[in-house]
Every structure is written in C-alpha cells, then in structure tokens.
Amino acid sequence: MTTSGRRQVKSLQKLLKLLDADIRAKNLHAAKLALRGQWWDMLRPEQSDPIFLVGCSRSGTTVTYETLIASGAFLNLGYEIPQFWNSLYGPLNNGWESEAAGAQDAKPEHRDSALRYFYQRLGAGVVLDKTCINTLRVPYLYKLFPNARFVFIHRDGRDNISSMIDGWRQGRTDGAFGLDQFFGPSPEPVSINSGEFKEWHFFLPPGWRDYNHANLEDVCAYQWLTANGMALEASTCIPPEQWIQIRYEDILDRPVDLFSEVFGRLGVTFDKQLEAHCASLDRRPTSIVSGPPQREKWRERHPDEIERILPDIAPMMRKLEYEVSN
C-alpha cells in the first residue's frame, strides 16, 4: 500500500471512530469535565465540605452508602475513588509506606484538587464519599476539610474478618480486590498464606511488610485491627457533632431507628419513603462476596481461623463494645 493509501485508511478509521456512539459519548463527557474544570479554576465556586463514610472493608459500608444516597440529599459518584485519594498521597508517592495519611500529609492543594474533582463530576452541593481506605485517613481529611462530617461504621470482628477472608479468595461480582491493578507489583515479595497470594487485597495498612508471609486470617485480622484502631483514635480529635458512629449489627436489628437517628444528625428529613426503604434492609441482597448478611456467619464460613485469631482481636472488640465469647 502506498503512503497516500495508508493515510486514506487512517483518515477513514478516524472518521469511523467519530461516528461510533460510545466514542462520541466519551469525548462529550471528557469535554464537559474539561469545561467544568476550567470554570472551577477561574471562579472557584463555593463548595461545602464533604461527608465521608468510612469503615473497614466488608463492614457494611456499601449498604450504609446506598441507604444514605437513597435520600437524594447528597451528591455522590456511586463508587469508591481510592485511585484519586492515593494520587494525592499514597504508596506511589510515599515510598510504599501504606495507604494511610495523617494531618501532616495534608496540603492546601490537596483540598483544591478534591473539591475540583467533585465539582467537575457532580457540580455544587454536599458530596457523600464512600472510600474504605479513608478509614486510614481521617486526620488527613479533617485537616483538609475542617467542617467535614464522618460516618464511621464498624462490625463484629469475627464476621468482618471472615467476610474479608472470603473477599481475598473470591473477589467480588465485578472484579477482584487485589491492589496490583492499581499500584503495579509490590516492591517487596508477597507470599501470604504460604504463597496463595502474591499481592495484597482491599487496602495496604501501615506495617504491611511485616505480614507479607503471614497466614491469611492473621493478615485480615491485622487489617481489621488497623482500620478500626485508626478510626477510633482519630475520632477523639473530631468534634462530636461531626462524628457519627454506627454498628453494622444495628442495620440488621433496628434499621429504621438507626437511620432515623443518622439522617437526623445529618440534617435530612426521615420521610415515609426513607422509612420504608430502611424497613426492608434486612431483606435486601447487599453482599457482593458471599451471600446475604447474617449474624455469626463466621461459624459457617471460617470457624477454625476465627477461633485462632480471637485472642488478638478481643481487646478491640471490647473497645467497640462487642461481647467476646466463643
């Protein structure tokens, strides 16, 4: 084929791409983002500090998020954005320390970047962000957003860790929880559970290198302990009116009363439609790993592993006001 012929083929291919509906939609979306970004850069429209829903992976953050956005009161992306938060401060720019961040890591430009990110995609209003790694970043977020409100959900460690074990092994309905897809290969050899896992899943806690060759139940217990420990420690520095702490088990036992309280503290009217939504939570299929929620599922799924790590998690269980017994 001549040079002229190749140019004609390339021109035709470009034309066909322009005619493709999906490509046109993507280009239009990109143009809208760029335009909104320029608008933000020029005018800095006023934007409220976000609401952050935090909790250890597999602790009930998804059902809580879906219930809060059902009110229609909050702007939301509908998905987690760990890649964005890690782009501000994370393993690829902190020497693979972890996915945690403290107040000392917060920079004014991080606030601007976050507000710009939300405004580009959602416009002006109160944003509800649910990103589980932010459980490790509460002091950082509070430094950036001193008027932010935090909703922290926790779950009985035995069931939470059991569900994390399932998540490590089974992934989820729409993909895996492995971190290599976001960060690339680990700089340190990972051989968790005698080589069953060559990468970390869910999130990378401080001190992760010490668990690169541990049993899976020990790794999941460490993740649970770290996430809840960091959240509880951070809560002591957050004004009480900006911190809402809830139990996953209350979603199963008293969903209407629980969310009536939560919405009230967030300044949202708990109307009949929301009440009906919450009343049906115990019948909604919320799990993306191992079936519908239930108490003490660990006894069916991983009784031996949970029994073994129970002494390690018992002190934190008591801090979270769970009874510790076999």
Side-chain angles (χ1 to χ4, degrees):
M1 183 181 293
T2 65
T3 301
S4 175
R6 285 194 293 269
R7 287 174 180 169
Q8 290 178 348
V9 170
K10 287 182 179 180
S11 297
L12 181 60
Q13 288 173 338
K14 290 180 180 179
L15 179 61
L16 291 174
K17 285 183 179 181
L18 291 175
L19 295 175
D20 184 278
D22 289 339
I23 292 177
R24 289 205 315 272
K26 288 179 181 178
N27 290 339
L28 180 60
H29 179 67
K32 287 181 177 179
L33 288 182
L35 184 61
R36 270 192 171 176
Q38 291 172 3
W39 184 265
W40 168 267
D41 294 337
M42 290 187 298
L43 299 181
R44 284 292 196 277
E46 189 170 341
Q47 185 82 327
S48 300
D49 283 3
I51 297 170
F52 293 103
L53 172 57
V54 297
C56 183
S57 302
R58 311 301 306 140
S59 66
T61 54
T62 297
V63 65
T64 304
Y65 182 62
E66 291 173 349
T67 302
L68 293 180
I69 64 177
S71 68
F74 311 115
L75 301 175
N76 64 90
L77 292 166
Y79 50 85
E80 297 195 28
I81 52 171
Q83 300 98 312
F84 170 74
W85 293 114
N86 278 317
S87 73
L88 301 180
Y89 185 83
L92 296 182
N93 54 42
N94 69 11
W96 281 84
E97 186 176 333
S98 73
E99 289 187 89
Q104 71 279 1
D105 304 311
K107 310 297 182 189
E109 57 267 29
H110 294 179
R111 174 185 169 88
D112 289 343
S113 293
L115 291 178
R116 186 181 193 274
Y117 183 93
F118 288 133
Y119 183 81
Q120 274 188 295
R121 290 155 179 81
L122 301 171
V126 179
V127 173
L128 174 66
D129 174 67
K130 191 273 280 194
T131 302
C132 284
I133 67 164
N134 282 337
T135 313
L136 311 176
R137 295 169 169 245
V138 173
Y140 168 84
L141 296 171
Y142 180 54
K143 180 72 172 180
L144 293 178
F145 305 103
N147 294 313
R149 289 168 288 175
F150 297 86
V151 180
F152 167 51
I153 182 169
H154 56 80
R155 182 182 184 185
D156 185 307
R158 293 162 292 193
D159 280 327
N160 201 155
I161 293 164
S162 176
S163 184
M164 292 178 76
I165 292 173
D166 285 333
W168 271 70
R169 287 209 165 103
Q170 298 169 213
R172 52 186 287 167
T173 54
D174 58 354
F177 294 105
L179 300 183
D180 282 8
Q181 60 187 312
F182 305 119
F183 303 133
S186 166
E188 307 285 343
V190 176
S191 185
I192 292 169
N193 221 47
S194 300
E196 182 180 354
F197 300 98
K198 301 297 185 183
E199 62 177 313
W200 277 75
H201 291 235
F202 289 116
F203 59 89
L204 204 62
W208 60 275
R209 288 174 172 83
D210 295 336
Y211 287 81
N212 279 348
H213 300 275
N215 293 325
L216 180 58
E217 63 266 28
D218 290 316
V219 170
C220 293
Y222 181 67
Q223 288 181 305
W224 181 84
L225 285 166
T226 303
N228 287 284
M230 293 185 74
L232 287 181
E233 182 179 0
S235 71
T236 64
C237 302
I238 308 294
E241 64 272 16
Q242 293 174 237
W243 184 264
I244 302 172
Q245 186 166 324
I246 63 177
R247 293 162 55 100
Y248 172 80
E249 291 73 21
D250 285 340
I251 297 177
L252 303 180
D253 295 341
R254 55 178 200 95
V256 173
D257 289 342
L258 170 66
F259 280 107
S260 175
E261 297 167 9
V262 172
F263 279 115
R265 292 192 60 187
L266 292 174
V268 177
T269 300
F270 191 67
D271 59 22
K272 292 295 183 182
Q273 186 174 352
L274 276 177
E275 182 177 345
H277 176 95
C278 294
S280 67
L281 286 178
D282 61 345
R283 301 187 296 276
R284 291 173 181 266
T286 59
S287 178
I288 54 175
V289 174
S290 60
Q294 66 186 64
R295 281 183 174 275
E296 298 194 330
K297 190 187 289 188
W298 66 271
R299 294 186 185 277
E300 300 174 9
R301 304 290 300 177
H302 306 288
D304 295 338
E305 294 95 328
I306 301 304
E307 292 281 4
R308 195 179 74 76
I309 54 91
L310 185 55
D312 298 326
I313 68 171
M316 180 59 68
M317 290 271 288
R318 295 188 183 97
K319 281 186 179 181
L320 294 170
E321 299 184 355
Y322 290 100
E323 292 184 7
V324 181
S325 64
N326 295 329

